[in-house]
Each structure stands twice: as structure tokens, then as C-alpha cells.
Amino acid sequence: MSPASSGQPRPALAYAHWLDSLTRAGWDAGPAVEQVPVADALARVSADPIIARWPSPRSDCSAMDGIAVRAARLAGRADADPDPDGDSDPDGDSVRVGGLVPLAAGTFEWIDTGDPMPAGADTVVMREWVLPQADGSATVTPPVPRGTNVRRAGEDFAAGEVLVPAGRRLRPGDLAAAAAGGHASLPVARQPVVAIIPTGDEIRPLGSTARPGEILDTNSLMLAARCRQLSAVPLVSGVQPDDPDALAAEIRRCAHDADLVLIIAGSSRGRGDHAAAVLAQVGGVAVAGVAVRPGHPALLGHAKHPGHRAPTAATGRAGIAPVIGLPGYPLATTVIFELFAAPLVAALQGVRPTVRPAVLATLDQDWSSPPGIEDWVLVTLAPSAASPVPGAPPAATPTRRGAGSISQLARADAWWPIPADRTAFAAGAPIEVVPLPDAPC
């Protein structure tokens, strides 16, 4: 029976139903907050607006190496005509001669970039325009308007100004601005902890020599790496046997320690597939099957540990953890993670999921998909041989069918998510593809 004919919800509806069930079970979706040193806050999410504690610069300062002087001295003496703008030299210690202005010793100060401006000085003449004399005087080349090469206090930002909004995934420049504004540490959303439980009597740990009928646990490796890309902390369990009691105990343990639990394999209807029954036992199943290919046997639910009414020290939340049962095939695991785990991990940090912009491509062959389900197809991208025009959309070649082919993930450039209401495409049709995370396009 196909996912469409069995009445399974499409991914967006399944996700909404899952969130609703989690809320009714008492789950708290809000991000937990912690304080971290500003140097460690890269890619973390700001929990509150970051507000400047003081201005930058904190006082008027020099923007150049040179001399600090009062601009009126550089105007020279206007003996014949009084200066209506007040720019003559009231102290009478500089007279412009042949386009040069001599400055007596003591009427200026040498200054370096970033130094506070001396009292009474309002202008900096850059060192290249100053000719020092042996007696401590100097000659400068005018004109230099008042305020030249001076950074005013608060010119960059004022005390109390918002430097970084709440909910920003912090960038290097954000950290620099926060530090300049007086912050040694920042309040950020705690990184979600994602427990990954590989299951199956045939699964062997990485580093083992797989014999016929055995499979290395590459799914855990892949999911843990993806969690780190999303600023989550993965906790990978040992491989669990096809034993309901052992799986139930491990899910309960992970629900105590993690914000999200991923169960790899066991969500289908094979003889060793116990995930649905065990999840119903330790918490609840909200969605059993999703109208998507690959990945339609997915499970969405929650688990709780015996002391679930009290927040745990590990997560700061009451011990109700969302749970996703992922099919064991690598492509199915990847699709279900992107559709359900990735947006939840973002929500746990108080941000929207990262949406990679779609890329317009040209399909290079006829293609058909089953009706009523979202069909996620991996494609490779290459310059179009049919169009020599620079900047033309690349040619998209769908990879072969088969959710168990892990090599496709290494060779592909993008996903082609085909809507449930589209079934047939002709070669040459324009399509929109979504680049894989960090895949060049």
C-alpha cells in the first residue's frame, strides 16, 4: 500500500500534528539559556538583545598617527582682516608662510591612532604632512579642516544601543561588536542535545569488519555530523539489539539526557521492527507514517522518563523528549532528519530553520513520480551542454532510485523535492533544486 493510499499525512501536516501532540504532552519548546564567554559564542544564538554598555569610541580619539592641534592654529594669523568665523590664531603662535604653517613647540602634541584627544585639540594632522624641527616646533601643509582625522565619542555606537538582536546566529562581526560594547560573556540559547540510538542485530560499530549480512553504523556518523552543522550536540548510543525491553530502557535514558531522541531503524513492519510499539509504551506516537519518499515509515512521538515532571539537570526541561523514528535506509534517514529534526533543532535554539535558496536547473531526462506523496530525488548538477550562454541554469541529472544507496549522498549536489501534485516531467523542463548543506553549486 502506498503512503498516499494509506492516508498518511504530508510532511508539513505531520510536523504540525507532532508539535501539537508534544505541547499537549507538556513539552516546553522554548530555548534554554546559558551564559558563555564571547570568544566561544560563534554560531550560537543570542537569547537576548546585546546592548552596548558604553559608547564606541569611549572618548574622542585620533583616527591617524600625527599631531593633535587646535584647527584655529592652522588657519594662520589674519592681521589685516578680523576672522568672522573665529578661525584666526588668537594665540599668535603660527603664521602661514608660502602655503606652510609653522607651529611652535608646545602648541601641538604627537599622537598615535586610537589615542584620546588632548584637551583643547580638535584636529589631527597625519604624520606625512608634518615636518618636525630640531627645536620641537613643526611645519605642516594646510589646509586641514577642523575635526579632520578625529573619531568622536559614540561615533560608532552609543551606550544603550542595540548591537545585535535576539535570535541571531552569531557571526564573527557580532562577537567583535559585543566585545567592543563591554561584554565579556553573552546569553545564548543552549545547544540542543540530540540522542542518536542505532538499532538492529545486523548493525556493527564503526571500525568493525562487517561480515556478510552485517552493516556498519554509518547512519549515526552522518546524523551526528549534521547535528553539529546545526549547532546541536549529538550523543550517540551503542548499537541496540532488536529487543523491545532494551530499546525501551535506552529511550527512557535518552529522554532524561536529551532534547530530541532519534531512533535509527525499527520503524517499519519487519519482524525485528519494534520502534512503534516501544514508543507507544514509553510515551506516545503522534504520527505513524508520512506521505514522503524515501522515508514514509517514519515515526513522530515523544518519550518520558520516570521523573518526567521535574526538569532535568542535563537539559533544564521536564523529561519529555520529542522522538523521531527514522527508517534505516540512508537516504530515507536523511530526508526525515531534514523534514523533522532540523526544524525542531532550530526551534529549540529560538531561530527559524535555515532555508537554503532553491537553484533553478534544467532536467536532462524524462521523469515520473508517484501521485499523492512528496518525492525527494537526489540530483547532480553540471554546466548545461544545451546552452553555451554563461550563467545558464545547470543541467540536473537524477540519481538512480534506491534509498539504501549511501554513495548517492556523496555524489549528489542537491535534492529535488517534487510536490505531491506533480507526477511527470519532460526532459528540458525547468525545476527547482535545493543544494545539499555546504555543497558547492
Side-chain angles (χ1 to χ4, degrees), residues 74 214 218 280:
L74 303 176
E214 296 179 341
T218 55

Side-chain angles (χ1 to χ4, degrees), residues 315-330:
T315 67
R317 306 176 190 278
I320 296 175
V323 178
I324 303 175
L326 305 105
Y329 280 141

